Amino acid sequence: MDHTGAVDALLQEERVFRPLPQIVIEANVNPQEYRMALEKAEQDVLSYWEDAAHELDWFKKWDAVLDDSKAPQYTWFPGAKCNIVYNALDRHIDSPNKNKLALIWEGEPGDQRKYTYYELYREVNRFANALRSLGIGRGDHVVLYMPLLPEVTIAMLAVAKIGAVHTLVYGGYSAKVLRDRLRDVGAKLLVTADGFYRNGKVINLKHIVDEALSGADAGGVESCVVVHRANVEAEMHEPRDLWYADLVRRESPESPTEVLNTDDPLFILYSSGTTGTPKGIVHSHGGYMVGVNRTLNWVFDIKPTDIFWCTADAGWITGHSYVVYGPLIAGTTTVMYEGSALYPQADRLWDVVDRYGVTILYTAPTLIRMLMRYGTQYPRQKDLSTLRLLGTVGEPCNPEAWVWLYKNIGHSECPIMDTWWQTESGMILISPLPLSLLKPGSVNRPIPGIDADVVDAQGQPVPAGKGGFLVLRQPWPGMMRGIHGAPDALREDYWERIPGGVYCAGDVARKDADGYFWIQGRADEVMNIAGHRIGTAEVESALVSHKAVTEAAVIGVPDSIKGEVAKAFVVLAEEWDADGASLDDLVRALRAHVRAELGSVAEIKTIEPRASLPRTPSGKILRRLLRAEELGEDPGDMPSLVQDDDA
Ligand code: PRX
């Protein structure tokens, strides 16, 4: 590749990248303000976060900044009354933002829709009224299983506006996963679309929805609202199914915003953990809105004329915090693109940046690595000069991808914000700011107000350069309220994992002599495939639900594009070939089976039959041993939260 020599030179000669003086001078937080923020956060972290809360509008201010009497069930801004949607929309209608573009949406075929803040406000109000007319109110649960359409933003805001709780299920999940989520949250309503465009094809989403709702175990869904997007055949089951357009047509564009408590739930978002069942992570209005607003403004340095594009799907936490809520609270213009980055060819991202004059691009290392394969021909054909800042999230950004992005997309002038955070954290926790010295591959330092460290299993800080567990010593406003239906999980799975009353993030990291953090990967049995968290246990239970498989062990192995991919070891049932199938047929069938069970997000790269699997005397599968064998490593090299207790 033509950039290899330059990358090598940059990495060898100049390991630190310095932002241009212009960017530093004009940053929302300049070096002096940054130092003052760090000092203030060190001296009085609550007063620091209180300042951040004052940037937002509240119906009633708080009695205290933090209630830690039930720690780790922390309540931020107790006593306050608020609604995140008041901050994301209502307040802009009385400001100069009223007629500014809030959302620029582009469909994969090239169709476009644009909404000013006022137009978005009116659409949200119409749908909020429609939701009320369907009997949805405060505390009710609504599941959204939708492609990246403007209606996903509208539906999220409308649900939150009336005090109901949304759960997004990413469109790449299967009917079975959708059904599990509907049941787990007790959804009364489902919002979906007939279909969507992906790689030039139309995917029929309504078919999957019908399958999910056909089972007796789909919970108590009373209505299903369908957005007309792809003109595909959609069987409407009356009276359950309703077209979105019919529903909102007659509704008023005004609708009251529910006055909520700071800790009233805003959404539940599922994320994989170490068990077969993903956890429903609960976030609430007050602390979350303070966290996303502060981080978006400081890390991404939002200016009044910015065009901000975060390429995440709304179905992930990045979509919640930095496609929908953060940008709207900050009053910026946000871009949304429905389809594939490779359609009609591998220049779509650069084309969108060029045509809309995107100034800030926040994306995933997997996508960068994928686009790098096509060389620099595509970015060179587009005008990317509007870009001022870049960002990455979700997985380690390897220095080669970092430097490629910096040189070829950021014209060697745009600092890259490699942001570390999680579904649980709700907001960015460790990241550079535009003024920071950047080291490719490092997520830099904790942002002011965040107290992170790397410790050993006893909670003792490890020396610089040594790997350990990434922990947070203090609560932060965007933090989750807990796990839906599992009252003890917050304490047991996060705050009691490591001695010393710290939050254990589940990641292995090291800190260098400058205090920069380097994320090495998960410390638990969670894979990170293309930036998506998938539990090995989830994939294993999908595999053993196939009649040909008696035992399964799944590990993540490194991949040059996706960061990690899944490899499965399976013990086959004796009569697995009774129907005359070959091993190749079976492997294909198993792959398809896992896809049907979990969805396209859980793709297994390799499946290897084994006579038996290594286990501890008490029967736990030694995945660490399998991984070490696979990678030719010493099984003790990587700190792990999973105890091979009796190995
Ligand atoms: O392992 C870390 C990795 O992604 C995990 C969180 O995944 P999720 O809850 O799906 O949220 C992803 C989007 C915020 C973390 O525990 N991770 C996230 N950001 C980074 C990262 N690993 C390395 N570098 C990052 N910037």
Side-chain angles (χ1 to χ4, degrees), residues 17 95 153 163 169 243 291 299 364 382 405 420 452 485 546 580 622 639:
F17 288 76
S95 84
T153 300
V169 179
W243 287 111
V299 175
K382 301 291 169 190
L405 180 70
W420 178 87
H546 191 282
L622 279 165

Side-chain angles (χ1 to χ4, degrees), residues 373-533:
R373 282 192 315 186
Y374 296 87
T376 55
Q377 49 166 341
Y378 289 124
R380 268 194 278 121
Q381 286 165 12
K382 301 291 169 190
D383 178 4
L384 305 180
S385 63
T386 51
L387 285 171
R388 180 167 59 81
L389 269 183
L390 299 167
T392 66
V393 61
E395 50 182 322
C397 186
N398 51 311
E400 289 73 15
W402 196 104
V403 175
W404 189 88
L405 180 70
Y406 185 77
K407 285 189 56 184
N408 299 303
I409 309 306
H411 34 88
S412 300
E413 287 186 350
C414 303
I416 301 178
M417 306 294 107
D418 183 347
T419 61
W420 178 87
W421 57 296
Q422 313 182 292
T423 308
E424 291 89 336
S425 78
M427 61 189 251
I428 295 167
L429 297 180
I430 308 182
S431 167
L433 301 186
L435 56 85
S436 309
L437 292 185
L438 305 167
K439 300 187 189 185
S442 164
V443 292
N444 223 269
R445 299 200 185 114
I447 63 160
I450 299 300
D451 189 355
D453 204 353
V454 179
V455 301
D456 63 20
Q458 284 69 50
Q460 297 302 317
V462 299
K466 195 166 179 315
F469 302 108
L470 178 53
V471 296
L472 297 156
R473 298 192 182 282
Q474 296 279 345
W476 62 95
M479 64 197 298
M480 64 171 155
R481 296 283 307 160
I483 306 293
H484 180 64
D488 298 326
L490 182 63
R491 197 165 36 78
E492 290 171 0
D493 295 353
Y494 297 92
W495 290 89
E496 283 183 354
R497 282 249 161 172
I498 289 188
V502 292
Y503 170 92
C504 173
D507 278 12
V508 183
R510 64 187 164 82
K511 246 189 335 182
D512 67 16
D514 299 325
Y516 278 49
F517 285 69
W518 301 75
I519 309 295
Q520 290 168 270
R522 295 289 303 186
D524 52 15
E525 298 297 359
V526 174
M527 297 174 287
N528 188 333
I529 301 177
H532 300 145
R533 260 162 81 167

Side-chain angles (χ1 to χ4, degrees), residues 119-132:
E119 287 164 344
L120 190 62
Y121 165 84
R122 286 163 67 91
E123 281 303 314
V124 167
N125 286 340
R126 285 201 181 90
F127 194 50
N129 289 334
L131 289 172
R132 286 194 174 106

Side-chain angles (χ1 to χ4, degrees), residues 270-459:
Y270 284 76
S271 189
S272 296
T274 49
T275 62
T277 334
K279 312 180 259 200
I281 291 164
V282 185
H283 281 281
S284 61
H285 282 249
Y288 176 78
M289 69 182 186
V290 173
V292 294
N293 181 54
R294 167 52 58 98
T295 47
L296 188 72
N297 276 307
W298 283 31
V299 175
F300 286 112
D301 204 38
I302 300 295
K303 303 280 194 275
T305 52
D306 272 325
I307 308 283
F308 179 82
W309 186 18
C310 168
T311 63
D313 189 275
W316 310 112
I317 189 67
T318 309
H320 284 57
S321 301
Y322 301 110
V323 174
V324 177
Y325 288 113
L328 294 176
I329 293 172
T332 192
T333 301
T334 191
V335 175
M336 220 184 215
Y337 166 59
E338 174 191 38
S340 160
L342 301 179
Y343 186 84
Q345 56 181 15
D347 68 348
R348 190 62 181 260
L349 248 52
W350 324 132
D351 188 44
V352 168
V353 169
D354 182 344
R355 278 186 290 109
Y356 299 112
V358 172
T359 55
I360 306 169
L361 177 67
Y362 188 25
T363 189
T366 291
L367 198 53
I368 299 160
R369 288 191 292 261
M370 190 172 86
L371 295 170
M372 265 171 84
R373 282 192 315 186
Y374 296 87
T376 55
Q377 49 166 341
Y378 289 124
R380 268 194 278 121
Q381 286 165 12
K382 301 291 169 190
D383 178 4
L384 305 180
S385 63
T386 51
L387 285 171
R388 180 167 59 81
L389 269 183
L390 299 167
T392 66
V393 61
E395 50 182 322
C397 186
N398 51 311
E400 289 73 15
W402 196 104
V403 175
W404 189 88
L405 180 70
Y406 185 77
K407 285 189 56 184
N408 299 303
I409 309 306
H411 34 88
S412 300
E413 287 186 350
C414 303
I416 301 178
M417 306 294 107
D418 183 347
T419 61
W420 178 87
W421 57 296
Q422 313 182 292
T423 308
E424 291 89 336
S425 78
M427 61 189 251
I428 295 167
L429 297 180
I430 308 182
S431 167
L433 301 186
L435 56 85
S436 309
L437 292 185
L438 305 167
K439 300 187 189 185
S442 164
V443 292
N444 223 269
R445 299 200 185 114
I447 63 160
I450 299 300
D451 189 355
D453 204 353
V454 179
V455 301
D456 63 20
Q458 284 69 50

